[in-house]
Amino acid sequence: MRRIHRTRRDWAVDLGLFLFAACFAAISSQSIPVAEDLGPGWRAADQAVGGLACAAVLLRRRWPVRLAVVLLLAGSQAHYLTGPTMVAVFTVAATRPWKVTAWVAALAFAPLPVFLWQVTDMPEERAGAAVTYFALIAGAIGWGLFRRSRQQLIASLRERAELAEADAESRAERARMEAREEIAREMHDVLGHRLSLLSVHAGALEFNPGAPRAEIERAAGVMRESAHLALHDLREVIGVLRAGSGSGPAEGERPQPELADLARLVAQARVAGGRIELAGPPAGAEPPPLVGRTAYRIVQEALTNVRKHAPGADVDVRVAGGPGDGLTVEVRNARPPGPDRAPGAVPAAGGAGAGAGGGQGLIGLAERARMAGGELTAVPAEGGFRVDAWLPWQG
């Protein structure tokens, strides 16, 4: 036997419906027409059956359809079953599928055509009682269908709310992933630039221990400044990570590089050696912050790759464009100094597989350019390497 778990609310509802069926039978007992020739014993037996039917209402959750069918069939012979029958058909309409409800309703209204055929020959009291019975059964079924539809609507709204909550959590998780990817790009671009300066000057001191004192002091100063700036940038990134938990500076409070900072960036890169020429950026109006920051990061990463993969190579940086035309960024490095090599053996600035970076920096730059609405290409060129980018600049 299937176990039915009832909550306190379920018990309260079942007891309430039991009392409703019993009170309805008691109130309508005097108005129910019973043939006098059957005698008072028949009425007493009829009332006993009605009492059992009221008690059977407590089984409506376990066998709603069976209970409704039994009460509908018994109602053709007993007269005190209207209350329990109303509860039974209401339960079927409220908890069972449409098809089952339709079959139970068809059984309930099966005597209706016969009643309509004989209504003119029936006593007025009996015809009125029959009309009332069919009206009450129709009302119970209609109320059950309404309650079922309402429960389905509530369940649908709850499901939609859960789906919306899950979707919001998914969007929040995607936003967190994007934020982490952005922070990873920042760490790669900023710290890679600083640490490449450290590596270049440390390598120069290692392979030239007999360099003049002034040159050693200059290299040591650059190393100290690069280390200080790298620690400062690292603290900023950690501050952004802490901002998600309510501590540390917010994202918007971090100082971000602009296109006007390119001259300072190139000046720092020149200290590592090699000729670096800068043409631009265009004078006049400043590009949008996202465009200027993206252009700065492109040049920064390209110079970092030159130091890693083509140390000492000459570099030409050109930034041009304006409102309406977009901003173009070109970074081209020549073949690095040293013994002649075949073009395929030249360590390109950021080429895939060159050095430990594996080209991840250029992949990140391409993503940055796409996020800004532009595009970026990086290809070998005349023994060196060339990075070209175009970024939109609305007029």
Side-chain angles (χ1 to χ4, degrees):
M1 182 180 295
R2 185 167 59 95
R3 182 179 179 86
I4 299 296
H5 175 72
R6 287 187 176 96
T7 63
R8 291 184 178 180
R9 182 178 180 277
D10 294 338
W11 277 112
V13 171
D14 290 346
L15 291 176
L17 291 176
F18 164 75
L19 293 175
F20 163 78
C23 292
F24 185 90
I27 293 173
S28 61
S29 61
Q30 299 302 320
S31 61
I32 295 177
V34 179
E36 295 297 336
D37 56 349
L38 296 177
W42 180 262
R43 179 180 288 272
D46 207 350
Q47 291 175 346
V49 172
L52 292 176
C54 292
V57 165
L58 298 177
L59 302 176
R60 70 186 189 93
R61 295 183 185 273
R62 188 181 299 276
W63 301 302
V65 178
R66 299 177 188 177
L67 179 62
V69 170
V70 170
L71 291 178
L72 286 171
L73 294 177
S76 62
Q77 302 298 325
H79 300 80
Y80 293 91
L81 302 184
T82 303
T85 303
M86 290 171 57
V87 174
V89 297
F90 162 80
T91 304
V92 171
T95 61
R96 290 298 178 265
W98 296 99
K99 188 175 182 179
V100 176
T101 303
W103 280 108
V104 172
L107 178 62
F109 290 100
L112 182 59
V114 178
F115 164 73
L116 295 176
W117 179 264
Q118 300 176 352
V119 67
T120 55
D121 300 330
M122 287 184 181
E124 183 177 353
E125 183 180 7
R126 186 176 179 83
V131 170
T132 303
Y133 169 80
F134 287 119
L136 291 174
I137 294 298
I141 294 176
W143 181 254
L145 292 176
F146 169 76
R147 180 173 176 79
R148 182 172 180 271
S149 299
R150 183 173 179 273
Q151 290 175 337
Q152 289 179 337
L153 176 61
I154 293 175
S156 175
L157 293 176
R158 183 181 294 112
E159 182 180 1
R160 290 169 62 182
E162 292 174 354
L163 290 176
E165 182 179 358
D167 185 60
E169 292 179 357
S170 176
R171 289 199 302 269
E173 181 62 25
R174 287 198 300 270
R176 287 191 291 268
M177 289 294 297
E178 292 174 358
R180 286 193 286 267
E181 291 175 359
E182 177 66 21
I183 292 172
R185 285 193 292 267
E186 290 287 332
M187 293 180 66
H188 179 277
D189 295 344
V190 177
L191 296 182
H193 175 71
R194 307 296 185 194
L195 296 179
S196 65
L197 287 176
L198 277 172
S199 177
V200 168
H201 287 85
L205 293 178
E206 179 183 4
F207 290 104
N208 190 17
R213 181 179 180 83
E215 186 174 339
I216 294 177
E217 290 179 351
R218 183 174 63 86
V222 172
M223 293 171 61
R224 179 182 58 80
E225 182 181 4
S226 297
H228 173 75
L229 293 176
L231 289 174
H232 176 72
D233 293 335
L234 184 60
R235 280 193 294 268
E236 286 186 352
V237 172
I238 294 175
V240 173
L241 294 175
R242 290 177 176 173
S245 59
S247 61
E251 175 73 16
E253 297 176 355
R254 296 170 53 219
Q256 296 291 340
E258 300 176 351
L259 192 61
D261 297 325
L262 277 181
R264 178 173 54 84
L265 175 67
V266 171
Q268 292 176 351
R270 287 191 181 116
V271 177
R275 181 186 64 83
I276 303 178
E277 296 294 335
L278 173 62
E286 285 290 328
L290 177 60
V291 174
R293 183 166 61 252
T294 303
Y296 179 94
R297 294 303 188 196
I298 290 173
V299 175
Q300 182 183 54
E301 176 64 18
L303 294 178
T304 300
N305 287 341
V306 170
R307 285 193 297 271
K308 289 168 59 179
H309 307 299
D314 294 340
V315 183
D316 291 313
V317 180
R318 187 176 68 87
V319 181
D325 298 329
L327 189 69
T328 59
V329 179
E330 179 184 338
V331 182
R332 180 195 297 264
N333 68 275
R335 181 191 298 270
D340 291 339
R341 307 173 186 175
V346 174
Q360 296 301 314
L362 291 178
I363 294 176
L365 288 184
E367 293 178 357
R368 280 184 180 274
R370 284 195 296 270
M371 290 176 61
E375 56 185 13
L376 180 142
T377 58
V379 294
E382 300 177 1
F385 210 78
R386 187 181 73 194
V387 175
D388 293 316
W390 177 88
L391 302 171
W393 185 349
Q394 301 297 331

